[in-house]
Amino acid sequence: MYRPEDILVPKNVDEVLSILAEHPDTARVMAGNTMIFEIASRGLAVDVKTLVDITQVGLGNVEEQKDGIHIGATVTLTELAQSKLLLGNPRHSVVAETAQEITPTQIRNVATVGGEICAGMPFFDLPTSLLALNAKVKLRKKNGQRELLLKDFILDFLTLALEPGELLTEVVVPRVDKASGAAFMKLGRTASDLALVNVAAAVQIDASGRCESANVWLGGVGSTFRECAETQKILAGSKLDQETVGKAAKAAADFEPASSIHGSSEYKKMVIPVLVRDCVQKAESKVRR
Amino acid sequence: MLKEEQRYETEPYYLVGKPVTRLDGREKVTGSAIYTHDLKVPNMLYGKIKRSTKPHAEIVSIDTSRALKLKGVRAVITGRDVPNTRRGVLVKDTPVLAVDRVRYVAEPVAAVAAETPEIAEEALDLIDVEYRELPAIFDPEEAMKKEPIVVIHPDFKSYTVKYLGAELGIPNLHAYFKVRKGDVEKGFEKCDQIVENSFRINMVHAFHLEPIVSMARVEPNGGITIWESTQHPYMLRNEISEALQIPLDKINVIVPHVGGGFGNKLVSVVAPITVALAKQTRRPVKIAFSRREVFEASYVRQPFTVHIKDGVTRDGRIVARKMTSIISGGGYSGGMGVNETKTSNCGFSHYKVDNFHYDAYRVYTNRVPGGPYRGFGAGQVNWAVESQMDMIAERLGLDPVEVRLRNLVEEGDKNVIGETMRSAEHKNMLRKAKELIGWGQKRSPDGPWRFGKGVASGHKWSFAPTASSAMVKYSFGGFLDAFVSTIDMGTGAQTILAQIAGEVLRIPLEKIRVSMPNTNFTPFSDGGFSSRQTYNDGNAVRLAALDLKKQIVERAAGVLGVDRMELDVREEKVYSAKDPKKAMKIDDLFMKGVSRGGAFAPVRDFIGAATWFQESGPLRAEDGQCTTDRACSFYDVVSTAAEVAVNIETGQIKILKIAVSVDPGTVLNPLLFEGQVQGSAFMAFSNTLFEDLVFEDGGLVNAELADYKIAGSKDAPEIVVSWGGSPFSDGPFGAKGIGEGPMLPTPAAIGNAVYDAIGVRIPDLPVTAEKVLVALKEKRGSG
Ligand SMILES: Cc1cc2nc3c(=O)[nH]c(=O)nc-3n(C[C@H](O)[C@H](O)[C@H](O)COP(=O)(O)OP(=O)(O)OC[C@H]3O[C@@H](n4cnc5c(N)ncnc54)[C@H](O)[C@@H]3O)c2cc1C
């Protein structure tokens, strides 16, 4: 069993950054603490001696700013699931709805947005939705800060563009002024399962009722999340009629998804078009015109 | 004589049939109940087990020297450090630790005791085992061959076995059971249609919440105390005695609360090792399995392949039935797992068939041994039989309920094993289940969802011969202590026994305590399995309480000067039923103040004792026919009906409703009854849709909860429970046991409902969304 040598509980972000700067290789951030021991038990945290609790450093707010909704790294899934700010918007509500689909209440109560992203698991749910919303992440380290698109931050299974000493402080869901809607769907073996496949879709509709742009992402299909580029292309400019959506949904399965004991690649290829179709339609139905 | 004491045992009952909450409820929900896992004694060491990494190999050498040098390690033992014994119930084939050969991945090859679990764990890595790999058999059909690629137990002939089937010349066969009745070949000639199908039932785990755990201590007098989460303390005592050659009187087994068992904890997979380490170190040792070890190295529900050939008449009567079960037993006999060869008969014996032929073969394979699993082999066979019944109905164009009604056994019928059916409400249970599900009314499709309903019947015997004893003590102050070795692994057994004792003496539940097993002090019970405790331990408690009542009444008769036949007891009083003025407090029969706080009943304290022995006739080896008219204690008779929704685009199955109708004789406690029935229907539905132990080469690939899928509360369908039937004459206040029944027909009811919804049948469990979708696609492709 994994036993850290030390657990530190800093009181502000600067303190966190100093600790990380001092021990870039042996200190690791701990937020909701629902994954870190799992990661360690697979031998993926052998060098980690110090855990740094970041839940007391003031990263727990969801607020609206000019450029969009800012979600602090330690906002819990329960807080997301209940956020009025998110639920009130036909596009951003997908973040709350996705958090609701992460079914174990005990996990939702402590697991954080930052942890969902930084765990680096390509079948988690929240990243799929955030990717479909073109979310950005804000990163800080002792002498600097930067901002990346989430899709440039998540690189591969357990692999992020997170530098040693760096902390994810915020997720920004960009504001969209056009009529827009977004939805999330998930297929698991049981009702409270990790996703076998998940999908998120966001659509923007122009004044004439055409789909101006669509973002469709899949999780659970390989070593990282997958943007359905062909699907997006087919949807863009269309009226999102049944035929086009069906064609676009089919195109989403035009690759070899990863097999697991819970679902073969062939099975995933059969259900992806169904999920994508339903998800795009659900996203479209949420648009307020 | 006790019959006389039963004269006042009539309704309205005082406690029987009342929905009282369980005695252990508060401590369990508040987390204060003590389980074996919670125990810690001074000086305790932690044991860990080094396990085989090969499915089949010779052990060339085991080098423990590096492990022994690790600081904090107190002992490292191998098969050479323990008596060279083999244990088992019908087939004595299982060593304490592997000697010379390993037969499945995760088989124990060595064990360590150390000051901390971490040190013990580290020491395991320092034990060097050299193997020479042997060919392995995973496929039971391969294991059935007369010249298989390898013989898994080459020394089988030297084992002590109760082995039938030696004449078959199958070297990996180690248990065999057959039934012969009438002449099946002639029957096939006489019938109108032949329906023939094969079914596979997969390997799943019982998944009790509390992992396998035991603790052992060598006492100053040389005796050994074992604390274990077990379903059978007396059998455990025997097993330890045999395995480690320790006299019975030197072993005491204590059982704290048990966090679920489902058959898996019937025969210990850990205690011999715990005790061996304790003896070696002379210090208390505790071994607690990790969840991974529970999956990899404790008994599994054994996979069955069932083949059925039926000859039926146009109107749906089964004229002849020929069946085979091949059981993949794993590397060893699996404690009582080997008995499933015989008990699998409960999967088919609810149908009356004049010409019947059954062979059940249990073969060794290089997998973790299969063991008892709620239903004891009958569930596997019932899946096949009850799927087959629907296939017959379809072939003949008949209603599946009707086909069943034409073949189910009735009161007084001889079943296929030659036993006379008692308390056989099969037809009524089926009719009730049919009614509860709204048979015949079908919902119309909703988007991709298709709806269907299915039924299935079944029964599970509670085995015999068997026995249980009980002692009941009445103390000054009006309270009652029952001394029993009953296991309450979550079933509410203790509460049921308190209700029974309280009913006889009419004492409120708060004044009754029921012991937990301690083999030094509590009398014999044949264990918590086969749905047997309510009936057997219940009868023992009832008889012991009657014995106690008799003593009280006799003593009071002398004091009151009335005929004891006039007297009855209620709430701490003895009174005359004829003249209620003639009454006295039971406390007044005690003598007080002999010493501080002392009170005793002169001559002899009030202690009742009794043994309940349920006799039965054995099944003959040559034809499986019962030698008397009774083969078991009783049958738990059940029908399940299910309504499902199937998504034709994703294959997903939603269970909308499960209706279970049960004949429990008398319901002693409606809350516990409903809980047991719902729990077992839920467990069955989970293993029908989700559960599956998946192997790649030798090893299990989903030995953890993230990958072993189990239904959760969000999957739970509405489960409607009903009961019918009438009190069973031999049961305590007419009760039978109900722990296993719904496990049997529930899977097939679901499978049949899926077929009703989409016209696709999945013969091999589990019925996953993927299998459904693939089958749908094939069906569309073919027609
Ligand atoms: C039983 C169970 C069921 C689950 N079901 C689902 C499900 O259905 N769907 C789903 O999507 N997920 C599911 N999860 C995953 C769960 O949501 C994640 O475990 C959780 O989001 C991780 O967040 P955390 O705050 O607990 O992370 P932690 O365990 O604290 O950290 C996880 C990793 O992220 C790093 N990290 C955390 N925060 C930061 C930060 N701000 N900056 C840099 N690095 C950081 C940590 O160093 C660590 O490596 C489930 C988990 C469990 C245990």
Side-chain angles (χ1 to χ4, degrees), chain A residues 244-266:
Chain A
T244 313
V245 173
K247 203 171 119 207
K250 273 214 185 76
D254 205 9
F255 70 108
E256 294 306 317
S259 275
S260 82
I261 58 165
H262 307 300
S264 67
S265 183
E266 298 77 51

Side-chain angles (χ1 to χ4, degrees), chain A residues 28-37 39 51 54 59 73-74 77 101-104 107 110-120 123-127 153 160 162 166-169 186 192-195 198:
Chain A
R28 183 179 286 200
V29 161
M30 156 174 109
N33 201 8
T34 59
M35 269 312 283
I36 205 141
F37 283 86
I39 293 171
L51 290 178
I54 57 164
L59 294 174
T74 62
L77 301 183
E101 294 258 342
I102 298 170
T103 40
I107 299 295
V110 292
T112 65
V113 179
E116 263 278 304
I117 296 170
C118 297
F123 44 83
F124 276 7
D125 297 328
L126 208 52
F153 180 68
L160 310 166
L162 187 75
E166 218 170 21
L167 175 73
L168 188 158
T169 52
K186 162 178 179 177
S192 23
D193 200 1
L194 292 163
N198 62 30

Side-chain angles (χ1 to χ4, degrees), chain B residues 445-702:
Chain B
D446 178 8
W449 296 96
R450 302 289 177 273
F451 301 89
K453 291 176 182 175
V455 293
S457 298
H459 68 196
K460 170 64 180 51
W461 81 14
S462 183
F463 82 103
T466 186
S468 291
S469 300
M471 295 185 299
V472 181
K473 182 177 103 185
Y474 189 100
S475 296
F476 179 78
F479 49 92
L480 213 58
D481 283 281
F483 298 88
V484 288
S485 293
T486 307
I487 299 292
D488 191 340
M489 50 189 161
T491 57
Q494 285 199 324
T495 309
I496 288 289
L497 296 184
Q499 284 182 265
I500 289 172
E503 180 65 45
V504 174
L505 291 143
R506 299 208 183 84
I507 288 181
L509 213 59
E510 315 77 81
K511 296 214 152 191
I512 306 169
R513 296 174 298 209
V514 180
S515 72
M516 301 226 261
N518 177 324
T519 54
N520 272 4
F521 302 111
T522 57
F524 177 76
S525 165
D526 217 351
F529 71 113
S530 196
S531 309
R532 66 173 293 288
Q533 291 186 143
T534 294
Y535 178 83
N536 291 289
D537 297 31
N539 266 326
V541 166
R542 178 172 150 267
L543 293 175
L546 284 169
D547 179 36
L548 172 64
K549 179 175 170 182
K550 182 165 171 272
Q551 294 169 29
I552 292 172
V553 166
E554 272 176 356
R555 207 79 58 83
V559 177
L560 293 171
V562 292
D563 180 6
R564 76 172 178 89
M565 294 303 286
E566 256 177 54
L567 294 178
D568 198 4
V569 300
R570 187 180 187 97
E571 290 170 356
E572 302 176 43
K573 287 201 189 72
V574 192
Y575 64 95
S576 161
K578 284 193 187 139
D579 176 4
K581 267 182 278 167
K582 289 192 178 142
M584 68 180 296
K585 287 183 80 177
I586 298 175
D587 270 358
D588 292 340
L589 294 169
F590 284 81
M591 197 173 208
K592 276 170 287 179
V594 277
S595 76
R596 280 166 189 271
F600 75 108
V603 187
R604 183 184 170 213
D605 253 328
F606 295 125
I607 299 175
T611 294
W612 168 262
F613 175 44
Q614 176 61 58
E615 285 178 281
S616 73
L619 306 188
R620 275 198 302 256
E622 60 272 25
D623 58 6
Q625 296 297 306
C626 185
T627 48
T628 67
D629 71 344
R630 185 163 191 170
C632 64
S633 296
F634 59 84
Y635 283 97
D636 178 7
V637 176
V638 183
S639 273
T640 302
E643 182 176 19
V644 305
V646 186
N647 185 317
I648 56 169
E649 292 185 328
T650 60
Q652 279 170 298
I653 298 167
K654 268 195 248 169
I655 313 283
L656 304 178
K657 180 173 175 178
I658 294 178
V660 196
S661 74
V662 183
D663 168 21
T666 302
V667 171
L668 294 174
N669 183 328
L671 290 178
L672 294 172
F673 168 75
E674 204 175 44
Q676 276 293 295
V677 173
Q678 287 188 332
S680 102
F682 189 89
M683 188 167 174
F685 126 74
S686 176
N687 69 40
T688 304
L689 297 192
F690 306 123
E691 298 180 36
D692 200 12
L693 290 165
V694 182
F695 289 81
E696 264 163 28
D697 302 323
L700 187 58
V701 296
N702 57 341

Side-chain angles (χ1 to χ4, degrees), chain A residues 1 3 38 42 103 105 108 187-194 261-264 266-267 270-271 274 277-278, chain B residues 118 649-650 652 689-690 694 696 701-702 704 706-707 709-712 714-715 768-770 773-774 777:
Chain A
M1 207 174 86
R3 290 257 163 103
E38 182 67 20
R42 280 155 211 263
T103 40
T105 309
R108 269 201 321 272
L187 187 73
R189 289 279 317 277
T190 63
S192 23
D193 200 1
L194 292 163
I261 58 165
H262 307 300
S264 67
E266 298 77 51
Y267 178 64
M270 288 192 269
V271 295
V274 176
R277 179 199 68 199
D278 290 354
Chain B
E118 291 79 8
E649 292 185 328
T650 60
Q652 279 170 298
L689 297 192
F690 306 123
V694 182
E696 264 163 28
V701 296
N702 57 341
E704 56 179 295
D707 283 326
K709 304 296 180 189
I710 296 179
K714 289 219 160 68
D715 297 283
T768 62
E770 175 161 0
L773 197 60
V774 169
K777 207 172 155 196

